[in-house]
């Protein structure tokens, strides 16, 4: 799968989801002590249009939905029987633009080296910046595409879902 396939214009229907997990909208008074309230649904279906979740409900309700009945041949369906569907992880501190990983830096930090010692040894953020500055636009584009594809394959997304785009009612 190429990064960006999830936003194709073809509608997507996930059916027979054994367990659908989603972060519920927070209710200030009731959920103040809960960092991430979670809702769970059984035998669920999710309809996505233009890369956005437009409704959530049961598979039974989805299959009776008039819009889906009329447009079913245009919809990509994925049978999620025996699977759990959950929101993607949003990594708020991801730097996908780099040429070389800083694994040696991390190993040195774990071993007790401070940032100055790592920089003196040729590592640190300056080495990352130098690598990006020396790379061609083509090389950077290829690298970023690979990093984003890898993140997506592990469930990491780039933005927080908008609760206003999710309906827990029937798909109609």
């Amino acid at each position: 799968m190429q990064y960006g396939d999830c936003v194709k214009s073809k509608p997507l229907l996930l059916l027979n989801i054994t367990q659908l997990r989603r972060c519920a909208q927070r209710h200030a008074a009731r959920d103040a002590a809960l960092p991430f309230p979670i809702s769970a649904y059984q035998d669920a279906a999710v309809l996505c249009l233009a890369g956005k979740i437009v409704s959530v409900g049961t598979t039974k309700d989805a299959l009776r939905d008039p819009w889906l009945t009329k447009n079913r041949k245009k919809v990509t369906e994925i049978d999620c029987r025996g699977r759990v569907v959950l929101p993607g992880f949003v990594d708020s501190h991801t730097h996908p633009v780099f040429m070389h990983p800083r694994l040696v830096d991390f190993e040195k930090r774990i071993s007790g080296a401070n940032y100055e010692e790592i920089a003196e040894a040729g590592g640190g953020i300056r080495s990352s910046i130098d690598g990006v500055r020396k790379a061609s636009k083509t090389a950077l584009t290829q690298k970023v595409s690979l990093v984003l594809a890898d993140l997506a394959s592990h469930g990491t997304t780039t933005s927080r879902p908008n609760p206003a785009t999710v309906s827990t009612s029937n798909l109609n």
Side-chain angles (χ1 to χ4, degrees):
M1 174 167 99
Q2 296 241 336
Y3 185 77
D5 283 353
C6 59
V7 292
K8 284 184 177 179
S9 59
K10 189 169 183 180
L12 173 67
L13 178 65
L14 305 177
L15 290 170
N16 305 312
I17 301 168
T18 299
Q19 188 176 87
L20 173 67
R21 305 290 254 158
R22 74 177 191 91
C23 294
Q25 229 175 337
R26 219 175 217 214
H27 299 280
R30 188 185 76 209
D31 298 337
L34 300 173
F36 302 103
I38 296 181
S39 299
Y41 304 93
Q42 312 297 312
D43 188 27
V46 176
L47 178 63
C48 302
L49 299 174
K52 291 189 183 258
I53 296 172
V54 294
S55 59
V56 175
T58 66
T59 296
K60 183 179 177 181
D61 289 338
L63 295 174
R64 287 190 271 182
D65 179 80
W67 183 90
L68 186 60
T69 303
K70 181 181 175 184
N71 295 286
R72 195 155 180 192
K73 290 182 181 177
K74 300 175 187 173
V75 175
T76 299
E77 293 183 19
I78 299 176
D79 188 341
C80 298
R81 192 177 320 274
R83 299 183 186 257
V84 174
V85 174
L86 58 143
F89 170 70
V90 178
D91 187 347
S92 62
H93 195 103
T94 298
H95 297 280
V97 182
F98 63 91
M99 289 308 295
H100 308 287
R102 291 174 50 197
L103 300 176
V104 173
D105 292 0
F106 297 130
E107 288 174 358
K108 287 180 181 180
R109 286 292 283 164
I110 291 168
S111 298
N114 62 35
Y115 186 79
E116 290 78 18
E117 292 167 333
I118 293 169
E120 286 172 12
I125 191 67
R126 288 195 184 114
S127 67
S128 292
I129 293 169
D130 289 343
V132 169
R133 286 181 177 156
K134 291 176 183 174
S136 68
K137 286 183 181 181
T138 301
L140 278 174
T141 301
Q142 290 172 344
K143 178 67 175 182
V144 170
S145 294
L146 288 171
V147 169
L148 293 177
D150 189 45
L151 290 170
S153 75
H154 290 93
T156 301
T157 65
T158 57
S159 64
R160 201 176 98 181
N162 179 355
T165 64
V166 178
S167 166
T168 56
S169 62
N170 296 341
L171 289 170
N172 51 355

